[in-house]
Amino acid sequence: MKLGIIIGTISILAFVTAIFFVAKAVQGNLTGNFVAEPKEEPAGEVVIKNGVQEVTLSYKKYPEGYKFNYYPELIKVKKDMPVRIMSDKSISGCYTSFNIPGLGIRHSFFKDKVLEFTPKKTGEFTFSCAMSMGGGTLVVK
C-alpha cells in the first residue's frame, strides 16, 4: 500500500513538473522571449552600393539579461571609402543622437535618418548616444 502511494506521488510530481516546463516553452514562443540565437554576434552587415559602404542601424533587445543597445554593435568599414549609416524606425529617444568622438562626428538621427562620412584614418572608434547608454565600435581598416 505504501509503495503504491509513493509511486503515485512521484508520478503526480513528474507530471506537474512536465506541464510547468511545457507551459514555459509555449509561453516563450508566443511572446517572442524564447529565441535561440548564436552566442557570437557577427559584425554589422556592411553592403557596398555605388561605391558607398552602407549599414542600417537599429535598436534591439539582446537575449542576455535586459540589455538594450544599437544593432549592430560592431561595424567594419574601409578607410577612404564613403560610409552611409542609416537608422531604422526603432531608433528613438537618446539613441537618436549618435556620436563617434574619435572621428569628430556628432549626428542626430531625429533630424536626419542618414549619416554620411568618409573615414580618413584606421583604427577602432567607439560610438554611442549622447548619454552613453548605448554604444558600439566602428572598425576602420
Side-chain angles (χ1 to χ4, degrees):
M1 183 77 170
K2 284 186 177 182
L3 182 62
I5 292 173
I6 291 172
I7 291 174
T9 303
I10 291 172
S11 297
I12 291 171
L13 288 173
F15 181 74
V16 169
T17 303
I19 288 176
F20 173 77
F21 284 109
V22 168
K24 279 298 207 183
V26 169
Q27 177 188 13
N29 284 332
L30 293 176
T31 62
N33 293 333
F34 185 76
V35 179
E37 291 191 24
K39 287 288 181 190
E40 202 171 301
E41 198 162 281
E45 187 64 34
V46 176
V47 179
I48 298 176
K49 292 184 182 177
N50 299 322
V52 177
Q53 303 171 92
E54 292 187 352
V55 64
T56 300
L57 194 65
S58 63
Y59 174 78
K60 80 174 234 178
K61 179 183 185 295
Y62 286 78
E64 316 82 45
Y66 294 101
K67 179 180 175 186
F68 292 87
N69 200 12
Y70 289 114
Y71 178 81
E73 291 180 299
L74 177 62
I75 302 171
K76 294 181 179 180
V77 297
K78 297 175 185 172
K79 177 183 175 237
D80 295 323
M81 180 183 260
V83 174
R84 180 177 298 133
I85 299 176
M86 301 164 291
S87 72
D88 71 6
K89 62 184 179 182
S90 68
I91 301 285
S92 63
C94 75
Y95 284 78
T96 60
S97 65
F98 186 78
N99 304 312
I100 311 173
L103 296 177
I105 295 173
R106 295 178 62 119
H107 183 76
S108 171
F109 287 122
F110 182 74
K111 293 179 182 177
D112 187 356
K113 298 287 185 195
V114 178
L115 165 62
E116 294 182 313
F117 64 97
T118 302
K120 297 294 182 186
K121 56 184 176 179
T122 60
E124 293 188 7
F125 306 94
T126 59
F127 61 80
S128 68
C129 66
M131 297 174 67
S132 296
M133 292 175 63
T137 305
L138 175 75
V139 177
V140 182
K141 291 189 176 190

